[in-house]
Amino acid sequence: MESDDDVPLILTWDDANSGLLNEDAERGDENGGGGNYDMVNNAVISTPGPQNHRAQNVSLRQSWEMNYQEAAIYLQEGENNDKFFTHPRNPKALAAYLFAHNHLFYMMELLTGLLLMMLSLCEAPAVPSLRLDVYVHATLELLALVMVAFELCMKLRWLGFHTFIRHKRTMVKACVLLLQFVEAIVVLIRQTSHVRVTRALRPIFLVDCRYCGAVRRNLRQIFQSLPPFIDILLLLLFFMVIFAILGFCLFSPNTADPYFSTLENSLVSLFVLVTTANFPDVMMPAYSKNRWSCVFFIVYLSIELYFVMNLLLAVVFDTFNDVEKMKFKSLLLHKRSAIDHAFQLLVSRQRPMGVSLKQFDGLMRFYRPRMSARDRFLTYKALNTSGAPMLSLQDFYKFYEVTGLKWKARRSGEHWFDDLPHTSFLIFKGVNLLVKSKAFQYAMYVVVAINGVWILVETYTLNSGFSWSRFVPWSYIVFLTIYGVEVLLKITGLGPMAYFSSGWNLFDFSVTVFAFLGLIALAFDMEPFYFIVVLRPFQLLRLFKIKQRYRNVLDTMFELFPRMASLGLTLIIFYYSFAIVGMEFFADVVYPNCCNTSTVADSYRQINVTYGNKTVLEEGYYYLNNFNNILSSFVTLFELTVVNNWYITMEGVTSMTTHWSRLYFMTFYIVTMVVMTIIVAFILDAFVFRMNYSRKNREPVENPEDENGIVFEVEVSRDEALTTLELYKQTCPGLSSLNSLQGVLQTMDRGGHSSLVYLGRRSRTKSDLSMKMYEEEIQHEWYTEYSRENLAEQEQRLEQDLDSPVSHPSSFPEPQLNSQTGPHSVN
């Protein structure tokens, strides 16, 4: 442990001058540990003498606390992929930064963004049941915009004006805020709404929220994939124009063919034909006149649909793959740069090559305030793989790998029942061997397969008048009993902790519990809960554990769920913007019996037809696909995304407005095609990555249900625990922070052990897989490139420092350099 008078190598925010040290000089002082002089803000000052020793210790303690806090901020910026130029530069900026970086502030951002978007439910054209008066929703909008303005003011105070205007996303948000503010005031004064297409920009406030970082990454990837997408799209449009001209020349003489009567109709028909929504209808008039006309459509579809569209997916996938790899590289090096900055703030002048436990604990008190003292100590031990007195920089580079670990003491025995009496031990040991055996696993697979076939036969033989409430199928009881016995055997043999630590076991347990609830619902005629019975076939998913390829597919699917949620939110944001535009221009345009002059009039017809003595209402139903409110607009846009018969909606709206309305629908199709192509590329990339990883790292898996994830093992001796407890009594004397460490000693005393082994676990992430997948490139190329760029930057800063005039040059040697902004500080 370092002594109390250890001085930080780097001094950070200086209270006397309310500013950071000069970026060159603040990086340290090579005066060694002499203690006679210190360098603050490019000025050499004398160190206080012995008579002020107490004051000096207080000052040093405050300096260390500020360094701990700044180091924690750097590490959080590395974790969140925040740019380093937004780092707070003085105590006032720090106060605003801390205020803007807490979960209450994040929640306020999120709720404000959601409120602004949800106002479209009650603004004209509003959902009938949610309509509000103009002054009410305009006032709510102004209040929400004031909250956004407050958020931006805090960001301005933290960033400073010059950095604020350099932050593009923040400037866009500020401009949209100003525009929305003016419009809301106009609406409130006029007491009536006007055409407000700018409402489509409201999602910007939600996207800028901290909790929507994944959505921002998705949008960035979409924009990065646009250049190759646009290239192939231009190729697609080029062939479309050529064939439109050719089709107009070939088929316009046929007066019975409405699809090619004009060049505009030819272009629209062929655009729709790429989606196959109007095929073969678009071909039939020409085909009825000349059978050889089918060659035109076959060639067009072969080129556009089967070649260019698949080429589009291939190009986007290739670009997406490269973007994913470069994104991982940038994030990895950005984290490494953050660790470099934090390390320099944690080392002392007396020991500049390592971080002690006291300094590491001070860091973690700011980085993970809720982490217990025991977990902070175990995290330090997990990093200190060499067993040296201090953490080296190489040890500290693994910081992000261990900070998310959940620590638990390993049992002294191999099984939970090791301490039971001999007879009980033998019984539980037999159950343990049974549930771990291959025979038991494959026997359960056979039972699940038989259950699947039985459910299929049982469902096929049901008649339309069947009611679940009449009886409980005996097969239901038999198979549920088998599954229940399996769950009990596994919990007994493996122990509750080991059983519930497996994802597959959690899945089996959940399905079995729901099946049991369904049985109760059937037995007691609880009709609202009959839907639970439908969940029985989910047991069949267990069969996919048998083969490695199926496990890869399911693992990929489970890994994709969080990312797919963010992609779904990205698509909803696009929907919202297009829905607002659609409502502004097409609200109340379509209605029953409209579009009588168009080719799709039958789809909008609502008439009474008499057949003999019976009158029947015949409806086309397409008038329901409208933009009369935000909810109807979302349904309509989803139907357009599916593209089946989407041209009917387009032609209906066009016939009631203008031909230029087609641009809205075509643009929406192109945008959704971009997003859906990105989603497909993401799924392909995730699956291909998983398969390549499996081939490159052939690790035999004896038990498909064994999911250890990432595991770190740390052994703590009694002497280490006592020494650490004494240190913590000095640094953080609060009883609550010491209870966890005292618990370690109490556990040793109860068991009579001289040491305890703790296991830290966390789930394996895509980043972990990428680290192993690109291990050779990371070690031999990426880190080498990073070191070379950092060295060049340090040399450049050193030259600038030597060229600049320095006061009292003979009083101290050249300062150590530590770059505040790394070459990979991307956001």
Side-chain angles (χ1 to χ4, degrees):
M1 308 300 170
E2 80 279 5
S3 61
D4 289 338
D5 61 350
D6 266 5
V7 179
L9 179 65
I10 298 172
L11 295 179
T12 176
W13 301 295
D14 178 58
D15 288 327
N17 295 304
S18 299
L20 283 174
L21 303 183
N22 178 271
E23 246 185 72
D24 293 337
E26 70 176 340
R27 291 310 161 207
D29 175 10
E30 295 183 358
N31 288 332
N36 292 327
Y37 293 94
D38 196 3
M39 182 183 71
V40 180
N41 288 346
N42 284 335
V44 179
I45 60 174
S46 61
T47 302
Q51 67 274 16
N52 294 326
H53 185 70
R54 184 186 299 266
Q56 180 188 12
N57 284 341
V58 173
S59 177
L60 285 176
R61 198 175 303 119
Q62 291 174 347
S63 297
W64 275 117
E65 289 296 311
M66 288 191 293
N67 276 25
Y68 297 152
Q69 190 169 26
E70 185 175 13
I73 290 173
Y74 268 121
L75 292 172
Q76 288 167 353
E77 289 171 338
E79 182 180 16
N80 298 328
N81 204 15
D82 291 333
K83 295 181 179 180
F84 290 141
F85 75 79
T86 64
H87 191 81
R89 298 295 180 183
N90 54 60
K92 292 182 180 179
L94 174 64
Y97 177 90
L98 295 176
F99 183 84
H101 286 76
N102 65 79
H103 290 287
L104 289 177
F105 189 86
Y106 297 157
M107 188 60 65
M108 182 181 71
E109 280 187 316
L110 178 65
L111 294 178
T112 303
L114 289 174
L115 173 61
L116 283 170
M117 291 183 64
M118 292 177 66
L119 284 175
S120 59
L121 292 169
C122 51
E123 295 172 328
V127 177
S129 59
L130 300 176
R131 182 178 286 108
L132 294 176
D133 291 334
V134 173
Y135 72 90
V136 176
H137 67 68
T139 302
L140 288 174
E141 183 179 4
L142 278 174
L143 289 175
L145 293 175
V146 168
M147 295 300 294
V148 175
F150 171 72
E151 296 164 9
L152 287 176
C153 288
M154 295 305 301
K155 202 165 187 178
L156 176 62
R157 184 178 177 83
W158 138 46
L159 292 176
F161 179 76
H162 294 291
T163 306
F164 184 87
I165 61 176
R166 285 173 55 198
H167 203 268
K168 297 178 182 177
R169 193 174 72 240
T170 303
M171 286 305 299
V172 170
K173 183 176 179 180
C175 294
V176 174
L177 172 65
L178 180 61
L179 181 61
Q180 299 273 321
F181 208 95
V182 172
E183 286 201 333
I185 293 176
V186 170
V187 170
L188 195 58
I189 293 174
R190 296 178 65 238
Q191 288 293 298
T192 182
S193 295
H194 55 273
V195 177
R196 294 188 61 191
V197 181
T198 54
R199 290 189 299 160
L201 300 176
R202 284 177 179 173
I204 289 175
F205 301 121
L206 181 64
V207 170
D208 192 56
C209 172
R210 171 69 68 175
Y211 293 135
C212 294
V215 177
R216 291 197 299 273
R217 288 190 290 272
N218 293 335
L219 292 172
R220 192 180 302 115
Q221 282 189 317
I222 290 174
F223 292 135
Q224 289 172 337
S225 301
L226 277 182
F229 183 92
I230 292 174
D231 291 341
I232 304 301
L233 182 63
L234 291 176
L235 180 64
L236 183 143
L237 295 177
F238 171 78
F239 282 113
M240 188 180 297
V241 171
I242 296 299
F243 274 86
I245 295 172
L246 183 59
F248 173 71
C249 295
L250 290 175
F251 308 130
S252 59
N254 182 7
T255 56
D257 189 345
Y259 299 104
F260 296 91
S261 57
T262 64
L263 183 59
E264 179 189 353
N265 288 344
S266 299
L267 279 169
V268 172
S269 298
L270 292 183
F271 186 94
V272 176
L273 182 56
V274 171
T275 69
T276 70
N278 62 349
F279 190 80
D281 296 353
V282 68
M283 183 182 74
M284 300 317 293
Y287 188 61
S288 66
K289 293 292 184 181
N290 187 344
R291 298 300 176 93
W292 287 103
S293 61
C294 67
V295 175
F296 171 87
F297 297 94
I298 292 173
V299 172
Y300 176 77
L301 285 175
S302 299
I303 293 175
E304 295 282 72
L305 182 62
Y306 297 113
F307 176 71
V308 178
M309 292 295 284
N310 287 318
L311 180 64
L312 177 67
L313 176 60
V315 170
V316 171
F317 172 70
D318 181 65
T319 305
F320 183 88
N321 197 11
D322 292 339
V323 169
E324 280 283 297
K325 185 175 180 179
M326 293 309 299
K327 183 179 71 174
F328 170 72
K329 176 184 176 182
S330 297
L331 180 59
L332 178 68
L333 299 185
H334 183 59
K335 287 182 175 180
R336 195 174 181 86
S337 181
I339 289 173
D340 282 334
H341 293 324
F343 186 83
Q344 292 297 319
L345 288 164
L346 296 174
V347 297
S348 66
R349 298 186 181 183
Q350 287 79 356
R351 281 169 285 274
M353 301 306 294
V355 176
S356 69
L357 173 60
K358 180 180 177 181
Q359 295 155 348
F360 181 80
D361 185 76
L363 164 72
M364 295 305 293
R365 282 189 283 108
F366 287 99
Y367 186 75
R368 288 283 189 271
R370 297 183 180 180
M371 182 180 284
S372 66
R374 184 203 69 174
D375 290 353
R376 296 199 298 267
F377 171 61
L378 293 174
T379 302
Y380 175 85
K381 291 277 292 180
L383 282 173
N384 193 7
T385 54
S386 62
M390 309 183 82
L391 290 178
S392 66
L393 180 58
Q394 291 303 317
D395 293 332
F396 204 57
Y397 279 143
K398 299 177 183 177
F399 179 84
Y400 291 109
E401 297 180 31
V402 301
T403 50
L405 296 173
K406 304 296 182 183
W407 295 96
K408 290 183 180 178
R410 190 173 68 182
R411 303 186 64 87
S412 57
E414 183 181 356
H415 308 99
W416 69 273
F417 46 79
D418 287 334
D419 298 330
L420 295 179
H422 184 66
T423 304
S424 302
F425 172 81
L426 291 178
I427 294 174
F428 287 113
K429 181 66 174 177
V431 176
N432 179 269
L433 293 175
L434 173 65
V435 297
K436 284 187 173 182
S437 66
K438 291 284 186 181
F440 181 82
Q441 291 181 27
Y442 283 102
M444 290 308 305
Y445 292 150
V446 171
V447 171
V448 172
I450 295 173
N451 187 17
V453 174
W454 196 273
I455 290 175
L456 185 64
V457 173
E458 190 179 64
T459 305
Y460 181 77
T461 56
L462 294 179
N463 57 56
S464 58
F466 176 81
S467 173
W468 279 108
S469 60
R470 294 182 182 178
F471 66 93
V472 178
W474 64 267
S475 59
Y476 196 161
I477 300 175
V478 170
F479 285 112
L480 181 57
T481 302
I482 295 174
Y483 295 144
V485 170
E486 179 204 14
V487 168
L488 292 177
L489 286 175
K490 283 190 172 183
I491 293 177
T492 303
L494 302 175
M497 296 298 296
Y499 177 81
F500 288 108
S501 64
S502 168
W504 280 109
N505 287 339
L506 280 174
F507 172 78
D508 296 343
F509 181 80
S510 302
V511 174
T512 303
V513 168
F514 275 115
F516 181 74
L517 294 176
L519 177 63
I520 295 176
L522 291 176
F524 293 94
D525 197 20
M526 301 167 65
E527 186 173 349
F529 300 97
Y530 290 166
F531 71 92
I532 298 177
V533 180
V534 182
L535 300 177
R536 283 193 304 160
F538 279 108
Q539 286 278 5
L540 302 178
L541 287 175
R542 299 173 61 182
L543 296 174
F544 289 98
K545 294 186 293 185
I546 300 175
K547 196 169 182 179
Q548 178 67 37
R549 185 178 297 274
Y550 293 148
R551 291 203 299 273
N552 285 334
V553 171
L554 289 176
D555 288 343
T556 303
M557 184 175 67
F558 292 139
E559 287 176 4
L560 287 178
F561 277 150
R563 183 70 184 274
M564 292 301 292
S566 66
L567 285 169
L569 183 56
T570 305
L571 190 59
I572 289 175
I573 286 173
F574 281 112
Y575 271 30
Y576 181 89
S577 297
F578 274 92
I580 293 294
V581 176
M583 288 191 298
E584 292 294 345
F585 292 109
F586 308 133
D588 299 321
V589 165
V590 295
Y591 47 85
N593 297 316
C594 70
C595 320
N596 292 325
T597 59
S598 72
T599 57
V600 295
D602 291 341
S603 299
Y604 291 86
R605 190 156 292 151
Q606 186 184 45
I607 57 175
N608 292 319
V609 180
T610 302
Y611 296 98
N613 296 327
K614 189 176 181 181
T615 301
V616 179
L617 178 65
E618 290 190 354
E619 291 188 276
Y621 297 112
Y622 271 83
Y623 62 86
L624 298 175
N625 300 331
N626 55 58
F627 295 90
N628 294 348
N629 58 64
I630 191 73
L631 299 182
S632 297
S633 300
F634 265 70
V635 175
T636 302
L637 292 175
F638 181 78
E639 293 177 2
L640 295 176
T641 304
V642 178
V643 303
N644 282 352
N645 290 339
W646 71 278
Y647 69 96
I648 296 179
T649 302
M650 178 179 70
E651 292 301 321
V653 172
T654 300
S655 67
M656 299 301 293
T657 53
T658 172
H659 288 188
W660 292 105
S661 301
R662 291 192 177 109
L663 288 178
Y664 169 86
F665 294 92
M666 292 180 177
T667 303
F668 176 78
Y669 172 76
I670 292 173
V671 170
T672 52
M673 183 170 63
V674 173
V675 178
M676 297 307 293
T677 303
I678 292 293
I679 292 175
V680 173
F682 171 73
I683 295 173
L684 285 174
D685 175 75
F687 181 72
V688 170
F689 179 89
R690 184 84 188 195
M691 297 302 294
N692 290 338
Y693 174 84
S694 299
R695 294 190 190 101
K696 187 174 181 179
N697 305 278
R698 295 187 179 277
E699 300 172 355
V701 181
E702 296 180 1
N703 184 2
E705 299 179 5
D706 186 17
E707 299 173 354
N708 290 324
I710 304 297
V711 182
F712 282 78
E713 183 176 303
V714 168
E715 184 175 2
V716 181
S717 66
R718 184 179 183 82
D719 291 339
E720 283 181 317
L722 286 171
T723 305
T724 305
L725 184 60
E726 290 299 321
L727 172 67
Y728 277 37
K729 285 180 179 178
Q730 300 174 13
T731 57
C732 44
L735 292 177
S736 59
S737 62
L738 300 178
N739 289 339
S740 56
L741 273 175
Q742 290 171 343
V744 175
L745 291 170
Q746 292 170 2
T747 304
M748 291 182 183
D749 293 338
R750 284 196 302 266
H753 304 300
S754 60
S755 65
L756 279 179
V757 176
Y758 283 85
L759 297 179
R761 299 178 184 272
R762 64 175 174 83
S763 58
R764 185 179 283 109
T765 63
K766 174 80 181 294
S767 179
D768 297 313
L769 301 179
S770 299
M771 287 290 291
K772 199 163 186 179
M773 185 71 180
Y774 305 127
E775 187 173 6
E776 293 183 3
E777 288 183 74
I778 291 172
Q779 296 297 332
H780 299 113
E781 297 180 19
W782 297 358
Y783 286 166
T784 304
E785 175 188 345
Y786 170 80
S787 301
R788 187 167 55 248
E789 291 180 0
N790 267 8
L791 182 61
E793 186 175 347
Q794 288 182 4
E795 290 176 351
Q796 182 181 0
R797 287 179 177 274
L798 184 59
E799 291 175 1
Q800 293 175 356
D801 181 68
L802 291 174
D803 294 338
S804 62
V806 181
S807 59
H808 306 288
S810 60
S811 302
F812 54 88
E814 297 172 2
Q816 210 173 3
L817 296 179
N818 180 38
S819 169
Q820 282 289 328
T821 54
H824 300 281
S825 56
V826 295
N827 184 18

